[in-house]
Amino acid sequence: MDSQSVRASQENATCKSYIDMDLFLHCSLVPSVLIILALSFLERRRNKTIIDDRIQLLDRRFGFVIPLDLIGTFNNRWTFGFAFGAIANKVMSLFSDEYLPAGTPPWARALGLLAGALEVGLSYYPIFACLTSDNKIIGSITGFLYSLTWFIVMLVDIVLCPHGDMIGLYEKVIFNWPSLLCFIFLLGRFVHMFIKSVRILMGSDISRDENLFLPEHQANHVKRLFRKPVEEQKSWFERKIYTWDPCFKFPSRMIGTTVLSLFCLYMFVTLEVSVFQLISQLLYTLEENMEQLIPEVAWSAYNQTVVNVKEFNGAIKGVWFITTFSSCFITVTYIFHILVCYRKHMKRLWVGEKGFLPIKYHKPSPSQSVAAIARYSGWQVAYILWGYLILHIVQTLFGMCFVYAFVFPINHGQGIALLRGLGFSVLSIAIVIGLMVLQVQLAGHFFLQKKISPEDKKKPLALNNRKAFHNFNYFFFFYNVILGLSACLIRLLSSLVLGSWLVARIDRTILQRGYESSDMERKAEKGLRESIAYYTFTSSTESHSSNKARTRWFLCYTLLNNPRLIIQRKPKQLDDLHSINDVSHTRLINASVLEAEVRNNKERPIVCSDVELTDTT
């Protein structure tokens, strides 16, 4: 054991924490429930119940308190993202058996983990509930005090005992600094909410309605659709990587999932590095013990084994170090690429394009879509972590294969033999490819009939020289058996590489075509896309009419709900200025009448003939 490990173990022996964070988590449930009841008392229900008639003091109080709108809210996105980051350390602890009571039978492990997850969620519930509460003053004060309590307790626990049993030196600092940073942000956010609420109460600021029917960026997107598109010069980054769209915003769920994934990935990588250090220490201990036996054992084979162990230890350490950075980079790229794909898919769904979805998912099940809303964020974090681990292991295996195939032979003076073997391998592959090309060329020149017309680009699918083809097919049958075996191994290797690389990609299925329904990723992805707030209202029924009729129906539905859009419709090209003014005046009258009818909620139904669908002038 090296000096650093010895020093860490000595400090761990003298480090004693006076705060039991698990006990504090259990005790925090009491104030958490009290805060939830207080916020529920301030929340009024829409409809009265029998209890309200019997107890007049209730007055529709004790309404439902929501921690976060996971469907499609766009308010306080980064605030909720940092709120998720504050609980990242507790989310990581859910992957272990920390919350399982002692003596839990194997069949009850799932129920024990569910109880632990509910306890963590209830403990941090007040933070989210105070952010979404309509009573901003009470919510900001309560949220500030509750977050400050958690921050102080975590900080005191770290100061009193910063070390741990897994990593050793400064383990709690390494694991908990992201949560402390997020708590600092939340404290500042609650202070900002309180100051803004006081200014609004005093009349120094204007209150903005955050629960708009159509968010501002979506309204801007609709306006942009009515304008003629303008081509703009884009930089290399915008063309190849990402283009910022001011008319699109990611919902709070996507921002929170991204922040939580990044923080959990950081803690997971840190834990993985500590585990690898323990394994590496065991390997070096084995190497030292084997070296001590060399004077007593005079076997040349044993000496060669010691040399092989030394080479393996050095190789695995270097390969693991390099692949750690490459796997982290790829996984972080995946996290942000998921956001890019989300925006791309949502824009396709806005225009009614479903070609990128499997056909059977064009009519989603409502129950599965609702359940997928609750599953997506948690599953995405788990897939990111497991995807990183699998990708790291696969990259390490390939890295070790590369070291033993190329690096060690060169170090041992076998570079010429290595080049000779590579030359033979490349030549064999070239011959195989050449024979495959030869089969195609022979089939095109000798075994297909001539073109029916000189203008045809290809020959027809009609055999010529059948007897020669049968002989050709017979002799190449035996060779294709061997070639098929090699192709099968290449296919298996490609599936292994792509599968390990795409585990973290929840928007990609790792199963082949025809078996996508067995991939649970697709169900989560479907719920993510199809249950969002601005998913088209035709998800449950598929129109079999023509595209023109369907477009006219969409236009009628949009204009009925937004009569003012009639004025902004693009008119046909008219030469007479007087005719253009008449059309604009007529549209203004139609929009005003239709808007009045919708607002007054008349009994007679509004038919599509009341709406101007086309320009008749």
Side-chain angles (χ1 to χ4, degrees):
M1 184 177 296
D2 55 4
S3 60
Q4 184 178 2
S5 302
V6 173
R7 183 162 55 91
S9 61
Q10 292 175 353
E11 294 190 19
N12 288 334
T14 59
C15 177
K16 181 179 180 181
S17 178
Y18 295 94
I19 298 178
D20 189 351
M21 294 302 297
D22 294 335
L23 179 61
F24 179 78
L25 178 67
H26 302 327
C27 296
S28 66
L29 298 180
V30 176
S32 176
V33 172
L34 294 178
I35 293 174
I36 294 173
L37 291 177
L39 295 177
S40 178
F41 177 78
L42 298 174
E43 190 75 19
R44 292 182 181 271
R45 290 173 277 109
R46 292 184 178 180
N47 302 322
K48 287 187 176 182
T49 59
I50 301 176
I51 301 178
D52 295 319
D53 296 333
R54 294 180 179 179
I55 306 177
Q56 299 295 332
L57 294 177
L58 287 180
D59 191 19
R60 296 183 291 116
R61 296 188 181 275
F62 289 102
F64 277 104
V65 179
I66 59 173
L68 174 63
D69 182 6
L70 290 176
I71 297 179
T73 181
F74 300 95
N75 300 322
N76 300 324
R77 298 179 301 160
W78 287 105
T79 302
F80 287 113
F82 280 95
F84 276 112
I87 64 175
N89 55 347
K90 297 299 180 183
V91 172
M92 284 298 301
S93 62
L94 292 175
F95 288 94
S96 62
D97 297 337
E98 181 178 346
Y99 292 97
L100 284 178
T104 303
W107 60 268
R109 289 177 57 88
L111 297 178
L113 293 176
L114 175 61
L118 293 177
E119 182 184 25
V120 173
L122 184 60
S123 177
Y124 287 91
Y125 193 98
I127 298 177
F128 292 91
C130 291
L131 290 172
T132 58
S133 177
D134 293 332
N135 195 322
K136 299 299 182 182
I137 296 180
I138 302 299
S140 59
I141 295 175
T142 308
F144 178 84
L145 295 177
Y146 192 78
S147 301
L148 181 62
T149 303
W150 268 102
F151 176 78
I152 293 176
V153 172
M154 291 180 60
L155 187 62
V156 171
D157 179 60
I158 293 174
V159 172
L160 293 179
C161 185
H163 314 303
D165 299 330
M166 179 61 68
I167 298 180
L169 287 174
Y170 304 105
E171 176 181 327
K172 294 181 180 179
V173 179
I174 295 174
F175 274 114
N176 294 325
W177 74 263
S179 298
L180 294 177
L181 181 64
C182 293
F183 271 117
I184 294 175
F185 178 87
L186 291 176
L187 292 175
R189 177 59 180 170
F190 282 124
V191 172
H192 177 267
M193 289 175 55
F194 177 77
I195 296 175
K196 186 176 181 180
S197 300
V198 173
R199 288 175 56 86
I200 293 175
L201 188 62
M202 296 175 61
S204 302
D205 200 350
I206 301 176
S207 177
R208 296 182 179 180
D209 187 9
E210 297 181 352
N211 298 321
L212 298 176
F213 173 76
L214 187 64
E216 183 179 358
H217 68 278
Q218 293 184 1
N220 295 331
H221 174 73
V222 175
K223 294 179 181 179
R224 186 172 62 180
L225 295 177
F226 287 93
R227 295 193 297 263
K228 184 178 180 180
V230 179
E231 296 184 0
E232 299 179 355
Q233 294 293 335
K234 296 182 179 180
S235 61
W236 178 89
F237 183 86
E238 294 176 336
R239 293 195 309 269
K240 301 296 183 180
I241 300 179
Y242 185 77
T243 302
W244 180 72
D245 188 358
C247 298
F248 185 90
K249 285 186 177 181
F250 294 100
S252 300
R253 173 176 55 176
M254 298 302 299
I255 299 297
T257 303
T258 301
V259 175
L260 185 60
S261 299
L262 291 174
F263 285 165
C264 289
L265 178 63
Y266 161 76
M267 288 182 282
F268 189 82
V269 173
T270 305
L271 182 62
E272 182 197 34
V273 171
S274 64
V275 173
F276 177 74
Q277 287 179 350
L278 294 177
I279 297 176
S280 179
Q281 184 62 37
L282 293 176
L283 292 176
Y284 279 109
T285 303
L286 176 62
E287 177 185 339
E288 292 176 357
N289 294 334
M290 294 180 66
E291 287 181 344
Q292 293 177 0
L293 295 177
I294 290 180
E296 302 178 3
V297 181
W299 299 341
S300 59
Y302 182 82
N303 297 336
Q304 184 62 35
T305 303
V306 175
V307 174
N308 294 337
V309 171
K310 288 184 178 181
E311 290 181 345
F312 177 81
N313 291 341
I316 191 66
K317 185 176 181 180
V319 170
W320 187 272
F321 179 79
I322 295 175
T323 54
T324 298
F325 284 96
S326 62
S327 301
C328 288
F329 176 77
I330 294 174
T331 306
V332 172
T333 304
Y334 282 168
I335 294 175
F336 291 103
H337 186 70
I338 289 172
L339 295 177
V340 177
C341 293
Y342 173 84
R343 188 183 70 169
K344 178 178 64 176
H345 294 161
M346 288 308 307
K347 287 186 175 181
R348 290 183 179 180
L349 290 176
W350 284 353
V351 298
E353 180 184 347
K354 303 179 183 178
F356 62 95
L357 293 175
I359 298 178
K360 63 188 306 180
Y361 291 150
H362 287 189
K363 295 181 179 181
S365 172
S367 59
Q368 291 183 355
S369 298
V370 172
I373 298 176
R375 286 199 305 258
Y376 169 72
S377 296
W379 282 29
Q380 182 65 81
V381 175
Y383 273 94
I384 288 293
L385 299 182
W386 280 111
Y388 162 79
L389 180 61
I390 295 174
L391 177 63
H392 194 185
I393 294 175
V394 173
Q395 286 189 355
T396 302
L397 293 177
F398 278 97
M400 293 298 294
C401 293
F402 177 81
V403 170
Y404 277 93
F406 297 97
V407 178
F408 284 167
I410 295 176
N411 291 339
H412 297 162
Q414 300 176 359
I416 303 300
L418 175 63
L419 292 177
R420 187 183 298 110
L422 285 176
F424 291 153
S425 300
V426 172
L427 181 60
S428 301
I429 295 174
I431 293 175
V432 169
I433 296 176
L435 290 175
M436 294 176 63
V437 174
L438 179 62
Q439 294 184 48
V440 177
Q441 295 296 327
L442 289 177
H445 287 82
F446 299 101
F447 303 127
L448 286 179
Q449 297 180 8
K450 297 181 179 180
K451 297 180 180 180
I452 299 176
S453 173
E455 299 178 354
D456 294 341
K457 295 182 179 180
K458 297 181 179 180
K459 294 182 178 181
L461 185 58
L463 284 177
N464 191 18
N465 301 322
R466 289 177 175 267
K467 294 183 178 181
F469 172 75
H470 293 322
N471 283 275
F472 170 83
N473 194 14
Y474 173 78
F475 286 105
F476 268 92
F477 167 78
F478 302 100
Y479 175 74
N480 286 330
V481 170
I482 304 174
L483 186 61
L485 177 61
S486 303
C488 178
L489 295 177
I490 295 176
R491 182 187 182 190
L492 181 62
L493 183 62
S494 302
S495 301
L496 174 63
V497 174
L498 292 177
S500 62
W501 278 51
L502 296 177
V503 168
R505 291 285 302 277
I506 206 169
D507 61 322
R508 294 282 186 180
T509 177
I510 58 176
L511 301 180
Q512 60 184 4
R513 184 178 296 274
Y515 295 90
E516 297 93 344
S517 59
S518 301
D519 192 348
M520 303 182 74
E521 298 170 23
R522 281 295 180 183
K523 297 178 182 179
E525 175 190 359
K526 174 190 61 179
L528 166 67
R529 295 168 179 165
E530 299 172 348
S531 58
I532 200 68
Y534 31 60
Y535 176 64
T536 178
F537 64 93
T538 59
S539 59
S540 59
T541 58
E542 186 72 19
S543 176
H544 297 284
S545 59
S546 63
N547 293 333
K548 183 177 180 180
R550 182 175 58 183
T551 303
R552 290 171 63 85
W553 166 245
F554 286 169
L555 178 60
C556 173
Y557 185 87
T558 304
L559 295 180
L560 284 177
N561 290 277
N562 305 273
R564 284 292 170 182
L565 292 180
I566 298 176
I567 305 175
Q568 301 181 6
R569 292 193 62 203
K570 181 181 179 180
K572 289 185 176 180
Q573 297 293 336
L574 298 176
D575 298 331
D576 190 2
L577 180 62
H578 180 70
S579 300
I580 297 177
N581 294 332
D582 291 342
V583 172
S584 302
H585 183 68
T586 303
R587 286 185 172 182
L588 179 61
I589 295 176
N590 292 338
S592 302
V593 172
L594 184 59
E595 187 177 19
E597 291 181 354
V598 174
R599 182 176 303 173
N600 295 331
N601 193 16
K602 291 186 177 182
E603 295 183 356
R604 73 174 186 87
I606 301 175
V607 296
C608 290
S609 58
D610 297 336
V611 184
E612 181 191 7
L613 298 181
T614 59
D615 295 326
T616 58
T617 57

